Amino acid sequence: RPPRFTLFPYTTLFRSIQFLKPILEPSEVTIRTEFSEMPDIYCSPGPLNQAVQNVLINAIQASRSGQEVRLRVFMDKGGCCIEVEDDGEGISPDHIDRVFDPFFTTKPVGSGTGLGMSIVHQVISAHGGTVALDSRENQGTTVRMWIPIQERE
């Protein structure tokens, strides 16, 4: 079923960060935001926020105490780019091709379902967008979610 698109002021992504405070505070990881000037975005806001939260949770969990996770939102190639970057563990080359597979996880038993990145891929694809991943083991990961700017229905 195609997503129901409504107006999405991208600054509501701040709500995603507020929702993550219980994870952020004990980890002592901070989130720095950089939001460029953008037009109104028409999308399915609930799923889009969930996708961003999933990526932020992974970035926080991969980071060490005192590190920073960066959340950037900017225009790129006629669409909205939401980028999450961390300086954490990175993803092993042995695992990189499986990141979007449902139920794939490298976390200990009971710490993850392996659905987070699969959901991210599904949500962004439903918006006609793409997800790109750049990771270097022990140096960090950048997840770039791009969705086209949709016309108002």
Side-chain angles (χ1 to χ4, degrees):
R1 185 174 116 200
R4 182 173 170 265
F5 284 26
T6 59
L7 177 63
F8 178 74
Y10 64 93
T11 52
T12 61
L13 291 173
F14 283 117
R15 286 189 207 139
S16 294
I17 297 168
Q18 290 298 112
F19 179 76
L20 297 175
K21 273 196 176 214
I23 297 168
L24 279 169
E25 288 172 358
S27 71
E28 296 182 0
V29 172
T30 58
I31 296 179
R32 182 180 56 164
T33 58
E34 297 175 26
F35 289 3
S36 298
E37 194 68 31
M38 299 222 359
D40 292 339
I41 300 169
Y42 289 91
C43 67
S44 186
L48 186 59
N49 265 316
Q50 182 64 55
V52 173
Q53 284 176 6
N54 288 352
V55 176
L56 285 170
I57 288 168
N58 285 348
I60 293 163
Q61 291 174 341
S63 297
R64 291 177 289 286
S65 179
Q67 287 188 318
E68 177 182 83
V69 171
R70 292 161 300 282
L71 170 63
R72 298 183 192 96
V73 180
F74 55 93
M75 287 291 295
D76 185 45
K77 299 176 186 155
C80 173
C81 187
I82 303 169
E83 186 177 84
V84 176
E85 181 181 16
D86 68 65
D87 299 315
E89 305 170 357
I91 300 167
S92 162
D94 296 339
H95 298 142
I96 202 86
D97 291 336
R98 299 185 58 206
V99 168
F100 299 113
D101 292 352
F103 304 108
F104 176 75
T105 185
T106 58
K107 295 176 185 170
V109 174
S111 296
T113 62
L115 291 174
M117 292 305 289
S118 174
I119 290 169
V120 169
H121 189 265
Q122 287 175 348
V123 167
I124 300 302
S125 294
H127 283 82
T130 59
V131 182
L133 192 79
D134 180 33
S135 187
R136 291 185 177 80
E137 203 167 11
N138 300 315
Q139 293 181 27
T141 301
T142 301
V143 178
R144 180 179 264 215
M145 298 164 278
W146 179 89
I147 58 172
I149 300 295
Q150 301 288 334
E151 295 297 320
R152 187 174 187 164
E153 294 178 350

